[in-house]
C-alpha cells in the first residue's frame, strides 16, 4: 500500500515537472542586499535641498553614519537621530526606508519612504516628509527633500 502511494507521488511529481533535486528558486526579497553593505560607513552631505531650495543648517556639517542596518544622523557632531534602514534595490528607482523613534523635527531629517541612487562614493537620497509619499524620481525642484552625500570614510 505504502509503495503504491509513494509510486503515485513520484509519478505525479514527475508529470508536473517537479524534480526532487531541484535547488530552491531564489527570492529577491530575501536575498542579502549588496547596496546595504556598500552603504556602510560615514557620509557627508554636500548638497541638501528642500523643495529645490538649498537647505540652511547654519554651515554645520551634516553626517550620516550607516552601520549594521541603522543610520545615525549627526549635525555638527551632535547625534540627532537613529533610524533602521531597509532597501529594495530591484525597484526602479531603488527604494530606501528609514524607520524609528524621534520627535517630529528630527524625524523629518530622515524618517520616511524614499528613493536612492548609489554611484561609488556618491549617494543621492530623496524623501518627502511633508506628504509622507515616496518620490517617484529625483526632481531637485519638487517639494521633496533631496540630498547628495559623499563617502567620508
Amino acid at each position: 500500500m505504502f509503495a503504491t502511494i509513494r509510486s503515485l507521488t513520484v509519478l505525479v511529481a514527475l508529470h508536473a515537472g517537479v524534480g526532487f533535486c531541484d535547488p530552491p528558486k531564489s527570492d529577491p526579497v530575501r536575498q542579502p542586499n549588496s547596496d546595504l553593505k556598500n552603504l556602510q560607513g560615514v557620509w557627508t552631505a554636500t548638497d541638501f535641498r528642500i523643495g529645490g531650495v538649498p537647505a540652511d543648517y547654519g554651515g554645520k556639517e551634516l553626517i550620516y553614519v550607516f552601520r549594521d542596518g541603522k543610520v545615525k544622523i549627526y549635525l555638527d557632531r551632535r547625534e540627532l537621530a537613529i533610524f533602521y534602514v531597509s532597501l529594495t534595490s530591484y525597484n526602479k528607482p531603488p527604494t530606501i526606508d528609514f524607520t524609528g523613534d524621534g520627535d517630529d523635527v528630527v524625524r523629518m531629517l530622515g524618517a520616511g519612504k524614499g528613493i536612492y541612487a548609489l554611484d561609488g562614493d556618491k549617494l543621492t537620497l530623496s524623501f518627502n516628509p511633508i506628504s509622507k509619499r515616496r518620490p517617484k524620481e529625483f526632481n531637485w525642484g519638487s517639494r521633496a527633500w533631496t540630498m547628495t552625500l559623499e563617502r567620508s570614510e
Side-chain angles (χ1 to χ4, degrees):
M1 172 102 175
F2 289 112
T4 305
I5 292 173
R6 187 171 48 199
S7 297
L8 285 173
T9 304
V10 170
L11 186 60
V12 169
L14 290 174
H15 180 66
V18 177
F20 290 106
C21 296
D22 288 341
K25 297 190 189 296
S26 64
D27 180 357
V29 175
R30 296 177 191 221
Q31 292 298 318
N33 193 312
S34 63
D35 279 354
L36 191 55
K37 182 179 177 184
N38 292 334
L39 283 180
Q40 301 298 298
V42 180
W43 299 78
T44 303
T46 57
D47 190 7
F48 187 172
R49 296 175 187 254
I50 300 172
V53 177
D56 179 15
Y57 39 94
K60 297 177 181 177
E61 193 172 47
L62 183 61
I63 303 287
Y64 284 61
V65 179
F66 290 88
R67 283 211 172 75
D68 302 323
K70 296 179 185 176
V71 60
K72 290 184 180 182
I73 302 173
Y74 296 87
L75 183 61
D76 212 25
R77 299 184 185 191
R78 184 177 150 251
E79 184 179 292
L80 294 179
I82 301 174
F83 298 105
Y84 291 99
V85 178
S86 60
L87 304 176
T88 308
S89 58
Y90 54 82
N91 288 343
K92 299 296 178 210
T95 59
I96 185 167
D97 293 334
F98 287 177
T99 56
D101 298 325
D103 63 40
D104 291 338
V105 174
V106 172
R107 184 175 289 284
M108 289 194 323
L109 286 172
K113 297 177 179 181
I115 57 175
Y116 75 96
L118 181 60
D119 184 16
D121 289 338
K122 179 180 169 186
L123 172 64
T124 305
L125 301 172
S126 187
F127 295 91
N128 194 334
I130 306 302
S131 74
K132 308 234 185 304
R133 292 187 186 133
R134 187 182 311 279
K136 296 185 188 315
E137 63 184 0
F138 292 99
N139 183 348
W140 290 87
S142 73
R143 296 179 63 195
W145 294 26
T146 305
M147 66 199 79
T148 300
L149 307 171
E150 291 184 6
R151 188 182 301 276
S152 320
E153 291 178 20

